[in-house]
Structure formats: C-alpha cells, structure tokens
Amino acid sequence: MRYAIDPPAIPSLPILGREERFPIRRVFCIGRNYAEHAREMGATVDASAPMFFCKPADAVLADGTDVPYPTATSELHHEVEMVVALKAGGSNLDAGQAAQAVFGYGVGLDLTRRDLQAIAKAKGHPWDVAKAFDHSAPVSALRPAGETTLHAGTRISLAVNGQVRQQGRLGEMVHGVADIIAALSTLFELKPGDLIFTGTPAGVAALQRGDRFRAEVEGVAVLESRIV
C-alpha cells in the first residue's frame, strides 16, 4: 500500500530479557482506583462504575528517556502506576478470559497537568489537555507475566530525588487487574498491544525541572529518569 505521507512509527516498549519489543496500540487508564488517592483529590470511589480515560499511544516515553517538562502548566504532577500490557483482547470478557489476555507488567507515570485538570473539572470539560499531552506516559520495560507473581502485598512506590513520595500495595486497588480488563472490554474491543494504567496510590505531588525519579513495582519493574 502507498501512503500520501510516511506513516508514523509504531510506539513500543522493551521487554526484559528479549530482543523484540512490544508494539503499543492504545493506552487506557483507570481513575480513582486507590481510595486514599481519591480522598486526597476530594473525590469518592464508586466501585460499581470504574472511571476510564485514554492517552494516545505516542504519549508513551520508553527506554528511560528524559521527560520534557510540558508546556502550558506550572503544576506537573506524578502518579505512579502499574502498567498492564495485553497479548489478546475481545469484548465482554469474563475475569478468566481477562487474566489470560495479559502479556506482561511494567511501571509508569500518569503525568498530569494538575492546574489544567482543575480548570477542566470546574467547567465540566474533558480532561484531555491535562492527561493526554506529549510524553505524558513514561513506562518501564515490560516483564512477561509468566516470569513474575503478583499478590496483594506487592509494593508500588515512587521516589523523587531519593525521597519516597508515593507507596502502596496492589491489594489496595479497588478493582484488580482482571476486573479492570473485563470492565474495559464492555466499553471497548480490546486488542493485542493495548496498555492499561491501573491507578495510583496517595501522595501525588508536583515535579520540577531537574527532578530525578525512581518508580517501582516490587519484583516486577523499575523506571528511572529525570524531568528536563
């Protein structure tokens, strides 16, 4: 097939221990999936109605690349999250099918222009400019699902300039991984290559130019980079 312009490159992530990379199709995110974070944002959790939003695939920043401080904000916030990569998809998946769709896991930051989000919330506007901007999703290399075991006590954390700011355990998630995938599949037809950010624990705060951060899901993935 011939195109009028050169097609864009396919965003991808490295896979631990492998030469091939994981191609990214879409990026889904769940909001308010840790009750303490919802409370710190002045919100409540409706466990019966998980809240989703999206980022573009090319918002993903891979390979520990420096993170450019975005335009149009003076309040860039970090939100550390476990990231799930899918090898299969479908619609209306049950929990068992959802669990089998997982390719692997990583850790990432759902970077947020908090000042623009506050304005959007006040006006009842969408959050796109606050969440879906360029380079707003730095993500680690992926660890294949068969090479790790997640449990309720698995720790997730973020340190900035050597000081821990966010920490929690996966058991604190309101919706677990299989439930998130199953719920998403009632709203979208999921496909191989999809990434899912699974929510952030409490402790979100501002990042400044020059800050160095270390995000980790214990025994799964580490992401280290800096804001430039």
Side-chain angles (χ1 to χ4, degrees):
M1 180 178 293
R2 298 178 62 188
Y3 295 98
I5 61 172
D6 291 336
I10 298 174
S12 65
L13 288 169
I15 303 166
L16 290 168
R18 300 190 187 180
E19 293 185 2
E20 65 262 37
R21 296 176 69 90
F22 183 87
I24 301 166
R25 189 186 82 99
R26 299 185 71 174
V27 180
F28 300 98
C29 307
I30 184 170
R32 302 173 186 171
N33 200 32
Y34 286 76
E36 287 296 325
H37 170 61
R39 279 191 283 272
E40 75 177 347
M41 299 304 297
T44 57
V45 176
D46 182 354
S48 67
M51 184 186 72
F52 296 109
F53 59 94
C54 296
K55 290 177 181 271
D58 63 4
V60 173
L61 202 59
D63 304 299
T65 305
D66 289 346
V67 181
Y69 196 96
T71 61
T73 186
S74 59
E75 200 174 353
L76 176 67
H77 275 208
H78 55 72
E79 299 188 9
V80 65
E81 311 201 8
M82 184 173 71
V83 177
V84 178
L86 300 188
K87 65 181 179 183
S91 299
N92 299 310
L93 303 177
D94 61 31
Q97 292 169 321
Q100 291 299 312
V102 175
F103 171 83
Y105 304 95
V107 65
L109 296 188
D110 167 18
L111 294 175
T112 303
R113 295 196 274 208
R114 192 71 72 197
D115 42 2
L116 299 189
Q117 186 186 39
I119 293 169
K121 285 181 177 180
K123 295 182 177 181
H125 290 176
W127 295 3
D128 296 64
V129 297
K131 289 286 193 179
F133 54 93
D134 296 341
H135 316 302
S136 62
V139 179
S140 71
L142 299 174
R143 184 176 297 279
E147 298 177 9
T148 188
T149 300
L150 300 178
H151 52 84
T154 299
R155 295 180 65 250
I156 180 171
S157 63
L158 177 75
V160 178
N161 300 325
Q163 300 296 313
V164 176
R165 290 197 182 174
Q166 290 186 264
Q167 55 184 329
R169 298 187 184 276
L170 298 186
E172 297 168 10
M173 291 196 297
V174 177
H175 304 279
V177 170
D179 290 337
I180 292 170
I181 296 170
L184 264 176
S185 76
T186 68
L187 301 168
F188 303 90
E189 181 183 359
L190 302 178
K191 293 188 177 182
D194 288 342
L195 293 183
I196 303 171
F197 280 66
T198 59
T200 192
V204 301
L207 290 165
Q208 307 297 332
R209 293 172 180 85
D211 283 348
R212 293 184 176 274
F213 63 83
R214 185 180 192 276
E216 180 178 10
V217 173
E218 181 184 23
V220 177
V222 173
L223 173 66
E224 295 183 291
S225 187
R226 61 176 181 163
I227 308 297
V228 297

